[in-house]
Amino acid sequence: MTGVQTCALPISSTISLVTASSNASSFSGGGLTYNNLTIAGGGSGSSQFFGSNTFNIFTINAPKTVTFENGKTQTVSSFVATGDASNAITIRSDSAGNTATLSDSAGTNTVHYCTIQDLTATGGATWDATDNCTDNEIGRAHV
């Protein structure tokens, strides 16, 4: 994917952002509700999310950098980001020092081998970011 990609496939959609290059991709969801979204591919290209959107299952596979618009909220039913020792994931706000929010009301969200910057987790779910994660905001109230 190159440039800005706009997608409007609400509720029953399954969206895959897959790139094997260093090109960036963008998702402008228009504040709609989507089903499952997966970010994958061996490339180093980043994925940026604009606006507040709702997803069923939001999955990030390594190695990826995912950036969320500061001041906006991505609401999920499940959030999974799984890196490994040689392929970490970076998850951050698009503005250093200004947070974006991930929200989930129940369950456990799992994040492994990730660098997390300027994100806040809300909604009542458990956010497990303890397995080889580094962060500048982490705590029980943060991702």
Side-chain angles (χ1 to χ4, degrees):
M1 275 183 146
T2 60
V4 175
Q5 304 294 320
T6 302
C7 182
L9 303 169
I11 302 179
S12 63
S13 61
T14 297
I15 301 167
S16 295
L17 300 178
V18 179
T19 182
S21 72
S22 60
N23 294 329
S25 63
S26 298
F27 182 92
S28 298
L32 298 176
T33 298
Y34 299 88
N35 192 28
N36 301 333
L37 181 132
T38 300
I39 301 168
S44 61
S46 65
S47 296
Q48 185 165 7
F49 287 77
F50 294 99
S52 296
N53 303 290
T54 301
F55 300 93
N56 182 36
I57 300 171
F58 194 114
T59 303
I60 306 169
N61 296 317
K64 291 294 168 210
T65 295
V66 178
T67 304
F68 297 106
E69 184 177 6
N70 79 86
K72 303 298 181 183
T73 300
Q74 306 307 310
T75 302
V76 300
S77 294
S78 176
F79 187 91
V80 179
T82 306
D84 59 47
S86 60
N87 292 297
I89 295 170
T90 299
I91 308 168
R92 65 180 182 216
S93 166
D94 67 352
S95 177
N98 297 297
T99 60
T101 300
L102 297 175
S103 181
D104 185 2
S105 62
T108 299
N109 298 287
T110 306
V111 181
H112 298 289
Y113 289 92
C114 294
T115 298
I116 302 165
Q117 298 173 321
D118 301 314
L119 293 178
T120 300
T122 64
T126 299
W127 293 84
D128 178 7
T130 57
D131 186 17
N132 294 294
C133 289
T134 59
D135 65 272
N136 72 340
E137 291 278 328
I138 235 168
R140 293 293 169 213
H142 300 279
V143 152

